[in-house]
Amino acid sequence: MHNESTWQHGIGRLALVAWIFVLVVGLAVAWAVYKSLTPPSDRYAVTGTFPTCPDRPSCVSSVDTNEVHAIAPLAYCGEAESVPAALATALQATPGFKSLQGEDNYLHAVFVTPTMRYRDDLELLVRDTGRIDVRSVSRVGYRDFGVNRERVEDLRARFAAVNDCP
């Protein structure tokens, strides 16, 4: 009788540990889904200042001076007013493109990674000086294995093909 009670007590503890484990994993998954569906709060559209990158390598920005995050801005020739439409065309042709919002000289695009379906945000700010500031940042995760940098370079090439600069 004593052995059966001890056995049942052990099963009860094991069930409690399993429930705690499931709860922790469930909360972690819920947090990741929430972060993946929520755009960054430091976007230009929210703050009025073009952002640098957070302290993780899954981001590139043309206004960041840290060598891990720094990337050259895009450039354009001609009138600034025609640039957002050309950028929108190039963005929509970029792999993983999901959605685009913007007004005047600012564009915000969302991309979805193919395997894990993570969402990344890409911002573009067209300046009157021929410069286009760019930031691409992952919503979830510490590393991106160069995905954001590759996306910006791909966009740079696509935009250069439609922007007639000498």
Side-chain angles (χ1 to χ4, degrees), residues 4-151:
E4 185 175 314
S5 174
T6 303
W7 181 79
Q8 289 174 343
H9 183 68
I11 294 296
R13 280 191 177 170
L14 183 59
L16 177 63
V17 169
W19 274 107
I20 290 172
F21 176 76
V22 168
L23 179 64
V24 168
V25 169
L27 288 173
V29 168
W31 177 84
V33 167
Y34 168 76
K35 289 295 287 179
S36 181
L37 296 176
T38 306
S41 60
D42 64 345
R43 294 183 328 273
Y44 175 81
V46 175
T47 65
T49 301
F50 201 81
T52 58
C53 290
D55 284 338
R56 52 188 166 90
S58 58
C59 175
V60 293
S61 174
S62 61
V63 299
D64 207 310
T65 57
N66 180 314
E67 69 182 52
V68 172
H69 300 125
I71 194 163
L74 280 65
Y76 70 91
C77 298
E79 298 297 319
E81 293 79 29
S82 63
V83 173
L87 284 169
T89 300
L91 284 166
Q92 292 167 354
T94 304
F97 173 81
K98 171 124 176 99
S99 66
L100 179 65
Q101 296 176 333
E103 57 184 63
D104 301 326
N105 62 339
Y106 172 76
L107 295 172
H108 172 232
V110 176
F111 289 84
V112 177
T113 61
T115 305
M116 298 300 291
R117 310 299 295 164
Y118 294 134
R119 291 172 188 229
D120 298 341
D121 294 273
L122 188 140
E123 295 181 272
L124 296 158
L125 182 62
V126 179
R127 311 274 187 181
D128 290 333
T129 60
R131 174 187 174 112
I132 305 168
D133 281 320
V134 60
R135 178 174 94 147
S136 187
V137 60
S138 299
R139 291 184 184 178
V140 178
Y142 183 75
R143 295 203 185 282
D144 71 342
F145 303 100
V147 169
N148 285 296
R149 187 171 299 278
E150 288 174 21
R151 180 179 298 120

Side-chain angles (χ1 to χ4, degrees), residues 146-159:
V147 169
N148 285 296
R149 187 171 299 278
E150 288 174 21
R151 180 179 298 120
V152 171
E153 294 305 336
D154 182 63
L155 174 62
R156 186 187 314 278
R158 289 175 191 280
F159 178 66

